[in-house]
Amino acid sequence: MPQAVIYPFDGDDLTLAVQVAQRAEFTSVVFLPRGGGTSTNGQSLGDGVVVDTSRHMRRIHDYDPETGLVRVEPGLVRDKLIDFLAPHGRFFAPHVSTTSRATIGGMVSNDSSGKGSVVYGKTSDHIHSIELVLPDGNVATFDAKGAFGDNDVTQAADRICRDVEKKLAPHFDEIALRFPIMKRGFTGYNLKEARARDGGLNLLKLVAGSEGTLGFIKSVTLKSEPIPAHTALAVLVYDSHDTGLRAVPDLLEARPHAIEFIDDKILGAALRSPFAEDVRQVLGITNEGGAFAAHFFEISDEDEQELARRLDSLKEHLDSRIAPALRPIGIKILGSPDDIARVWEIRRACQGLLAGFDKNKRAVAFIEDCAVPPENLADFVAELEAVLEARNIPLGMYGHADVGCVHIRPLMNLTAEDERRQIRQISDAVFALTQKYGGLLWGEHGKGLRSEYSEQVIGSDLVQVMRQIKTVFDPSNRMNPGKIARPIDDRAPVLALDEVPMRGAFDAQIGPVLAEQFSNTLRCDGNGACFNQDAAQPFCPSYKITGDRRLSPKGRAGMLREWARARSTGDTVGARDIADELNVILETCLACKACAGVGCPAKVDIPEMKSQFLNWYHEDHKRPAADLLVANLERVAPMLDRIGGLVNFLQSTVLVRWSMAHGFGLVDLPKLRHRRGFFDQLQKLNVQTMSAATLLRMGDAERAGTVAIVQDCFTSFYDADVLLAQVELVKRLGYTPVLLRYRTGGKPLHVRGMLKRFRQIAQQNAHDLAELSKAGFSIVGVDAATTLMYRHEYLETLPDCPDLGVRLLSEWLDAQDLPLLDGDTCYTMIQHCTERSLEPQTSVQWQSIFERSGLSVNLVKAGCCGMSGLFGHEASHQEMSRGLYDENWRAVVEAEAEGGLVATGYSCRSQVNRLSDVQALHPAQILLSHLRNR
């Protein structure tokens, strides 16, 4: 457990922290550098003071357009650097799959590589210089030739260089002999690349990959590369991953920029996931196609004709240079940037797809970056699979075939002691295999707690050299102690893989009832996807706007686990204190369900866990006044609608606004669009409102053309024009729309953790909807977030609930023959976060619907608008709500204020109207307006 956490605001704070630690009273303090929280091998874990640069030290200081050099702080996320460099026609080449949240400091500390390393190499190949806070509090800057800067400091830094050089010099031949020869070389004091044969020293190669054991990175100057002008991707489909891996050495002769692979298990999981449509349409793979593995062969070139020639050469190469038994059974060439991006989305989702195999097991990272020479990869993988199959442990794999690096995630239940013991047994067995095939156990993600294997790779003499280097920099062992190497005078070994506390051992203390109730939190594997800084992604809004890791799904899941453990072990005081803090950090969860969708590999679903927790918490804690109002909103809305004019008038008065703000904590409440004339419009359209029982009395012929539309509180009473538009749209498409009689759905109750009432409502509605679905009715919802409740919250609450068959409007329209419409406007559409996260194929559906109708639409990927139900109307959330809107939506909305803006979510349209005074339209309104004008 860390003693404290420091969030330095800038490099001076970082220096100050180390300088203060030189005082006599702080000599026992040790530091644990931390970046994006995405490392998988315990690099930043320990008992010292965590120094987290990701929260504030995110600045880009200098950029030289002539040289392409850029100086950045260590907490900058790689994607932000990519965004900065793109307008200059350049990029930072090392491409890790965690690019949306991996920090540059973390990439340097692990010497990361990722996709494309067969051409571009590792992070250390792209460092011009590093500004390092040394363990004694001095600051020195190193480049490939030595140290430079202030005279006094430079002299001390030069002394470090000379001392390191002396340690390396006598061992050059042994280093050349013992270090593996491969693209993914030895990291964690890379002695081989740190000293050249001419006697020179490249200290950058030691600092890169040192995992914070030699000092703190204050800033780093990086080399950027020109963005390739043209790129194409060949999807090679194989009948087995073994066949594909055996073909890699021959494929490398075609000079790819990257060859990535996915095995049969992950490909099968993708076909059962929201990515299924992408797999079928973009990869050309179907369930019946006999495909068991896929390789993604990427080629880039500055000349388009040369790129085409290279693709022709690849096809010829596959036909003539590769043995028939190793040829792919299918090839598809992709040139569209959108299609290529969709392929890489599937590749990035591999970890998440593995998480869905077994809800009681996690895809555990401890042998997940083994690397061997590519010509040995197939044999290595075959033996590794046998090791795990002998223990009855399933696995899935993917990776960088071009450099022989394979990501292997055994599926294990680490709450079981016997499975925890197997971590050591499997690690030893797999390490032996990497030695047999000339590779490394750590090929990409750093050593961390696997440093103990170094001696078996390079021998005791070279491990002593590593210890001497540690002593030169950090004789008191204050920088990330226990990792990579200890100083000469420290007799303790480095931390061993199975001698540190395992999260599974703590989780095992959680009682079975709580473990089942909060099982989603136990699935969190710490991958840090919720720390992403991609403004176009919904996941996770509360973390993005605050930078507070407690307010991320990972932070909330960790605290929920500790609370459940405290309750289970009888720690009443601890459980009570944690519960009060939990209530605070869950308060800022927007319940957007992004962490239940494709964004979160483990799908921890904090909104569901929040609901369960609040249900328990408020058994003996008074609920806030707003809960009373929210709990009855759906029930009283029809009554308020009858006097809508009066309600809206009262709501606009100073007294009522003040009472709502100070009595209930609610502000800017929307007005009822009271439905005077609503039923007249329905009558003109000859559309009826019916109960489920009445519908079920219809004959088969009537049912066939009937579309039952499920009402929800928000569109029915606050945005009734959208409901009318959908009704008329369905009718104009040749069907008989019927409005299901309005009933409360329970969404606000679930958000507030009022689960007893929610369960009652869900049972009633589920019964009726299931009967309608069984009877063959088409059932379509209106608001995306509410519609998705029927397939998520209802199923969580009612385990035996069947598929209720309630479709999103996009799902229903995508299956229709749509008329060709006329229109010159190019619409800009932003989808609801819940819709995009839980059902990502809806983006493709909306695009297809508009294009098949002859209309033009640009789907903008934007983060959360900050409304999310009533969240944006709560006074305590105003700063967060408005901040999210300003960051993610305002620029898009105000650029499209002339009438071309479309938003699928009621919450989103409400927020746009509230904060930009713009009326965004629903897709049904757009389609209907063009149908009327045919």
Side-chain angles (χ1 to χ4, degrees):
M1 180 69 71
Q3 295 170 311
V5 180
I6 295 174
Y7 298 102
F9 184 75
D10 54 24
D12 290 340
D13 282 356
L14 199 61
T15 305
L16 180 63
V18 180
Q19 290 174 344
V20 169
Q22 307 306 310
R23 296 178 187 173
E25 64 266 37
F26 299 128
T27 53
S28 63
V29 171
V30 299
F31 292 107
L32 306 172
R34 185 178 180 87
T38 61
S39 63
T40 56
N41 298 296
Q43 284 93 323
S44 59
L45 301 182
D47 298 326
V49 175
V50 172
V51 180
D52 187 342
T53 59
S54 68
R55 191 163 184 175
H56 301 299
M57 292 185 66
R58 302 174 171 184
R59 302 170 190 85
I60 298 173
H61 286 297
D62 306 300
Y63 174 68
D64 184 344
E66 292 187 7
T67 63
L69 295 178
V70 57
R71 185 168 70 92
V72 305
E73 291 182 336
L76 180 71
V77 168
R78 181 187 179 272
D79 265 0
K80 295 296 184 182
L81 177 58
I82 295 298
D83 291 344
F84 172 82
L85 292 171
H88 302 281
R90 303 185 74 88
F91 77 118
F92 181 57
H95 189 170
V96 293
S97 63
T98 53
T99 180
S100 64
R101 66 265 194 199
T103 63
I104 297 300
M107 292 182 67
V108 171
S109 296
N110 279 342
D111 201 6
S112 302
S113 40
K115 180 176 78 73
S117 64
V118 70
V119 172
Y120 292 111
K122 301 177 293 185
T123 296
S124 58
D125 298 312
H126 300 271
I127 300 173
H128 175 269
S129 60
I130 293 180
E131 188 180 14
L132 204 64
V133 181
L134 300 171
D136 63 4
N138 284 311
V139 179
T141 303
F142 301 94
D143 64 10
K145 297 178 181 179
F148 61 91
D150 177 80
N151 287 336
D152 292 338
V153 175
T154 301
Q155 287 179 10
D158 281 339
R159 188 164 54 251
I160 287 175
C161 292
R162 289 194 300 273
D163 287 349
V164 170
E165 201 166 347
K166 285 179 184 178
K167 309 302 182 188
L168 286 173
H171 301 279
F172 181 73
D173 290 338
E174 187 178 4
I175 290 170
L177 179 67
R178 299 298 298 262
F179 272 60
I181 301 172
M182 53 191 294
K183 285 282 187 181
R184 293 296 174 89
F186 190 95
T187 60
Y189 303 178
N190 186 350
L191 306 182
K192 182 178 180 180
E193 296 185 25
R195 185 183 185 277
R197 185 172 290 277
D198 63 6
L201 175 71
N202 184 353
L203 205 65
L204 297 178
K205 289 289 186 174
L206 279 180
V207 174
S210 64
E211 300 177 13
T213 60
L214 303 180
F216 282 122
I217 298 170
K218 187 174 182 179
S219 71
V220 56
T221 301
L222 302 168
K223 306 169 189 175
S224 63
E225 302 290 332
I227 297 173
H230 305 283
T231 297
L233 192 71
V235 179
L236 310 178
V237 182
Y238 291 92
D239 58 7
S240 73
H241 64 264
D242 182 75
T243 302
L245 295 178
R246 293 190 186 281
V248 169
D250 290 328
L251 288 174
L252 286 171
E253 294 178 13
R255 297 183 297 116
H257 267 69
I259 305 176
E260 301 284 299
F261 79 96
I262 295 177
D263 80 346
D264 54 332
K265 294 182 181 65
I266 295 176
L267 199 54
L271 283 164
R272 297 187 298 273
S273 79
F275 288 104
E277 202 62 27
D278 285 344
V279 174
R280 295 188 186 100
Q281 288 186 1
V282 183
L283 303 188
I285 298 171
T286 65
N287 289 309
E288 298 80 23
F292 293 99
H295 284 204
F296 307 137
F297 187 106
E298 187 176 73
I299 304 177
S300 297
D301 207 286
E302 294 306 304
D303 183 87
E304 191 170 10
Q305 291 183 340
E306 176 61 16
L307 181 69
R309 190 197 67 75
R310 289 179 64 187
L311 285 171
D312 290 339
S313 177
L314 170 63
K315 295 173 187 175
E316 182 181 345
H317 189 85
L318 290 169
D319 288 338
S320 61
R321 299 287 299 277
I322 293 181
L326 301 182
R327 291 174 188 168
I329 60 174
I331 303 171
K332 186 172 184 180
I333 305 297
L334 304 176
S336 159
D338 287 343
D339 285 344
I340 294 172
R342 288 164 72 183
V343 170
W344 294 130
E345 280 295 320
I346 297 169
R347 168 60 180 82
R348 278 193 289 270
C350 285
Q351 184 182 344
L353 292 168
L354 277 174
F357 273 65
D358 187 333
K359 72 174 186 177
N360 296 315
K361 294 180 182 288
R362 280 172 43 191
V364 183
F366 64 101
I367 54 169
E368 92 294 350
D369 60 333
C370 303
V372 298
E375 61 270 20
N376 298 337
L377 184 57
D379 289 336
F380 168 76
V381 166
E383 287 200 47
L384 186 149
E385 288 181 301
V387 167
L388 292 171
E389 286 171 5
R391 291 169 168 78
N392 197 31
I393 294 177
L395 77 155
M397 69 179 75
Y398 54 99
H400 317 289
D402 48 4
V403 291
C405 182
V406 56
H407 297 314
I408 304 150
R409 296 292 176 102
L411 298 171
M412 304 176 73
N413 176 11
L414 294 187
T415 62
E417 186 176 356
D418 62 327
E419 297 212 23
R420 292 199 298 275
R421 282 198 299 268
Q422 291 196 66
I423 294 288
R424 161 63 65 187
Q425 299 164 9
I426 294 170
S427 295
D428 287 349
V430 174
F431 172 76
L433 286 178
T434 62
Q435 291 292 93
K436 175 180 177 179
Y437 287 104
L440 287 167
L441 185 63
W442 58 93
E444 181 170 44
H445 298 158
K447 286 180 181 172
L449 297 175
R450 303 178 294 183
S451 300
E452 60 178 296
Y453 291 105
S454 292
E455 187 167 332
Q456 297 179 62
V457 177
I458 61 174
S460 59
D461 288 347
L462 294 184
V463 167
Q464 283 299 105
V465 174
M466 292 169 60
R467 296 185 68 188
Q468 291 169 353
I469 290 171
K470 171 72 171 176
T471 305
V472 169
F473 278 88
D474 184 23
S476 300
N477 199 27
R478 304 184 71 183
M479 293 290 179
N480 208 4
K483 317 292 171 51
I484 300 184
R486 291 186 181 271
I488 290 295
D489 294 336
D490 191 331
R491 294 174 179 259
V494 292
L495 294 171
L497 187 67
D498 53 353
E499 292 177 3
V500 296
M502 290 193 187
R503 176 77 255 184
F506 290 100
D507 290 343
Q509 299 174 31
I510 300 173
V513 174
L514 285 173
E516 176 63 28
Q517 191 175 5
F518 293 92
S519 60
N520 287 11
T521 64
L522 301 183
R523 290 208 297 267
C524 180
D525 59 8
N527 66 82
C530 47
F531 299 155
N532 84 83
Q533 293 296 308
D534 186 351
Q537 296 300 323
F539 188 48
C540 164
S542 54
Y543 168 72
K544 281 182 181 175
I545 199 66
T546 63
D548 188 339
R549 292 183 185 249
R550 297 175 308 152
L551 306 186
S552 68
K554 180 176 176 178
R556 290 171 173 134
M559 190 167 283
L560 279 162
R561 286 155 95 159
E562 280 303 294
W563 165 75
R565 187 170 74 90
R567 283 188 65 194
S568 299
T569 57
D571 182 2
T572 308
V573 175
R576 184 187 64 221
D577 291 344
I578 295 173
D580 290 340
E581 178 67 13
L582 252 179
N583 186 51
V584 172
I585 68 167
L586 289 171
E587 168 67 18
T588 53
C589 169
L590 285 83
C592 65
K593 302 287 279 189
C595 56
V598 294
C600 175
K603 294 179 173 50
V604 297
D605 196 355
I606 291 300
E608 178 63 33
M609 300 297 95
K610 172 184 176 180
S611 185
Q612 296 285 349
F613 173 79
L614 292 178
N615 186 60
W616 168 85
Y617 186 77
H618 288 298
E619 287 179 2
D620 55 10
H621 290 78
K622 185 179 178 181
R623 285 188 174 274
D627 278 16
L628 178 65
L629 189 150
V630 171
N632 291 289
L633 173 64
E634 290 185 301
R635 186 174 60 83
V636 302
M639 293 178 274
L640 294 176
D641 184 55
R642 293 171 192 158
I643 52 170
L646 176 60
V647 171
N648 288 340
F649 168 74
L650 292 173
Q651 198 170 291
S652 67
T653 64
V654 173
L655 178 61
V656 171
R657 289 204 309 269
W658 186 93
S659 300
M660 281 292 176
H662 293 84
F664 294 94
L666 297 172
V667 298
D668 300 339
L669 290 173
K671 290 185 177 181
L672 287 160
R673 297 201 181 164
H674 70 107
R675 305 190 294 178
R676 183 176 300 165
F678 176 81
F679 291 103
D680 291 339
Q681 291 294 321
L682 287 182
Q683 192 170 4
K684 285 180 182 178
L685 292 169
N686 195 27
V687 172
Q688 300 181 62
T689 300
M690 297 184 186
S691 67
T694 303
L695 277 169
L696 289 169
R697 288 196 289 269
M698 282 185 175
D700 291 343
E702 287 180 288
R703 292 179 187 182
T706 298
V707 176
I709 297 175
V710 184
Q711 298 189 63
D712 64 83
C713 175
F714 302 102
T715 48
S716 289
F717 301 107
Y718 293 91
D719 207 1
D721 289 345
V722 169
L723 179 58
L724 279 172
Q726 181 161 324
V727 168
E728 187 176 345
L729 176 64
V730 170
K731 187 174 182 66
R732 284 178 178 267
L733 290 176
Y735 293 88
T736 302
V738 172
L739 270 188
L740 272 177
R741 185 168 295 159
Y742 174 78
R743 289 170 65 169
T744 59
K747 181 80 172 177
L749 294 170
H750 186 272
V751 171
R752 299 287 173 158
M754 300 177 180
L755 293 186
K756 183 177 179 181
R757 287 178 59 187
F758 176 75
R759 187 174 292 107
Q760 292 170 345
I761 290 171
Q763 286 172 334
Q764 295 167 0
N765 290 338
H767 174 270
D768 288 353
L769 292 169
E771 290 298 312
L772 289 173
S773 180
K774 192 190 307 180
F777 283 98
S778 290
I779 311 171
V780 184
V782 184
D783 184 66
T786 309
T787 302
L788 289 170
M789 171 185 67
Y790 297 116
R791 64 181 76 164
H792 288 274
E793 286 91 335
Y794 273 34
L795 296 188
E796 287 280 353
T797 303
L798 308 172
D800 297 326
C801 182
D803 179 5
L804 302 179
V806 184
R807 288 193 281 178
L808 296 163
L809 180 61
S810 64
E811 294 170 333
W812 185 80
L813 286 173
D814 195 46
Q816 308 305 315
D817 291 326
L818 301 173
L820 192 63
L821 307 173
D822 294 324
D824 298 327
T825 304
C826 179
Y827 295 101
T828 294
M829 181 187 293
I830 311 180
Q831 291 180 263
H832 194 286
C833 290
T834 305
E835 179 186 19
R836 276 183 63 202
S837 299
L838 296 181
E839 301 294 345
Q841 76 277 5
T842 55
S843 299
V844 179
Q845 290 167 355
W846 281 123
Q847 190 82 48
S848 171
I849 290 162
F850 272 70
E851 287 179 356
R852 287 190 294 119
S853 300
L855 303 178
S856 181
V857 66
N858 175 32
L859 264 74
V860 174
K861 292 183 177 181
C864 178
C865 72
M867 179 54 76
S868 192
L870 285 173
F871 182 92
H873 292 299
E874 296 183 70
S876 59
H877 300 153
Q878 288 311 291
E879 183 179 356
M880 183 179 290
S881 176
R882 292 169 182 269
L884 285 166
Y885 182 79
D886 290 343
E887 187 168 308
N888 299 326
W889 277 61
R890 186 178 292 281
V892 177
V893 168
E894 295 181 1
E896 299 295 333
E898 296 303 317
L901 182 68
V902 185
T904 60
Y906 165 76
S907 292
C908 311
R909 296 191 300 277
S910 179
Q911 182 82 317
V912 166
N913 186 251
R914 177 174 81 124
L915 298 183
S916 287
D917 196 24
V918 170
Q919 186 66 50
L921 297 176
H922 187 275
Q925 293 174 296
I926 299 296
L927 294 168
L928 177 61
S929 68
H930 286 278
L931 270 172
R932 285 173 171 172
N933 294 328
R934 284 184 73 196

